[in-house]
Amino acid sequence: MTVRIPHSPGLRDLGVANWLFCKLAARRQHVPRAHLFTTLGQHKRLMWSWLPFGGVLMRGGKFSTRDTELVILRVGHLRDSQYELQHHRRMARAAGLDDATQALIFEGPGGPNFEKLSDRQRVLLTAVDELVETRTLSDATWAALAEHLDRPRLIEFVMLTSQYDALAATLSALRVPLDFDE
């Protein structure tokens, strides 16, 4: 796979602030380069506009870390986004979603062991699948979500799912290389 945007840009391509941010992000992630950021950082204003939005959805919102990671893992799986999965499998484990639970998330609503998940998890996964597939939610799925989520969390669910779907498309279209050698 040939990358479409140079993934090892220098100071000139990134600018000082983005270059420093990319170095810090790579150090925090324990990788030589944080390819998502070195790619997006080549559009200086766009990266700094996207970071707060993505940050609120990932860790600054009303969803628990477990619910956030469950949604992200399912979107990453549905979109075959190895970049998202590589990072978020680790984060999900740290949030308490062990490998067995992650396997159930990847099986999804049609899986033989779907009933092993909690009702809330099943509703979230069903809604992720529907939103990613149809770009909307049926009234029945909305009602099921509303049994588990208040109004701000309903909004956040749609934005979180859509954001990671868009990010998966961006990673794929730009052919951003993986950060970990696994």
Side-chain angles (χ1 to χ4, degrees):
M1 173 176 81
T2 304
V3 298
R4 293 186 166 151
I5 305 293
H7 61 277
S8 298
L11 184 60
R12 171 178 278 138
D13 297 313
L14 291 169
V16 174
N18 288 5
W19 184 84
L20 285 171
F21 177 84
C22 291
K23 291 292 183 187
L24 291 171
R27 179 175 290 163
R28 186 167 187 252
Q29 295 173 5
H30 306 289
V31 294
R33 279 183 201 84
H35 291 113
L36 170 62
F37 300 120
T38 61
T39 300
L40 295 182
Q42 293 176 64
H43 188 306
K44 295 168 187 74
R45 287 182 56 214
L46 182 64
M47 185 179 87
W48 288 105
S49 298
W50 172 77
L51 280 172
F53 174 70
V56 166
L57 288 172
M58 196 166 88
R59 292 291 179 263
K62 296 194 174 286
F63 260 37
S64 70
T65 303
R66 286 174 60 99
D67 285 348
T68 297
E69 292 303 330
L70 177 135
V71 168
I72 294 169
L73 287 178
R74 187 63 185 163
V75 172
H77 174 75
L78 291 172
R79 291 299 185 212
D80 193 28
S81 178
Q82 294 307 307
Y83 193 100
E84 286 179 345
L85 292 172
Q86 218 182 40
H87 283 273
H88 287 280
R89 289 201 66 166
R90 288 170 169 78
M91 292 179 201
R93 273 188 218 103
L97 297 172
D98 61 20
D99 289 341
T101 305
Q102 290 186 32
L104 295 173
I105 292 167
F106 300 143
E107 280 183 16
N113 298 305
F114 193 58
E115 295 303 315
K116 291 183 179 180
L117 294 167
S118 72
D119 185 49
R120 179 185 179 92
Q121 290 171 322
R122 290 192 309 269
V123 167
L124 288 172
L125 291 174
T126 300
V128 168
D129 282 24
E130 186 175 317
L131 184 57
V132 168
E133 182 181 322
T134 68
R135 313 301 294 160
T136 193
L137 294 167
S138 67
D139 290 340
T141 301
W142 184 263
L145 274 173
E147 289 180 21
H148 297 277
L149 306 177
D150 60 12
R151 189 176 303 156
R153 284 175 181 81
L154 286 165
I155 296 166
E156 189 171 327
F157 169 81
V158 172
M159 294 299 294
L160 175 67
T161 303
S162 301
Q163 148 67 14
Y164 275 87
D165 191 18
L167 183 57
T170 300
L171 291 162
S172 176
L174 298 179
R175 296 184 181 162
V176 176
L178 299 176
D179 289 340
F180 299 96
D181 296 328
E182 48 183 54

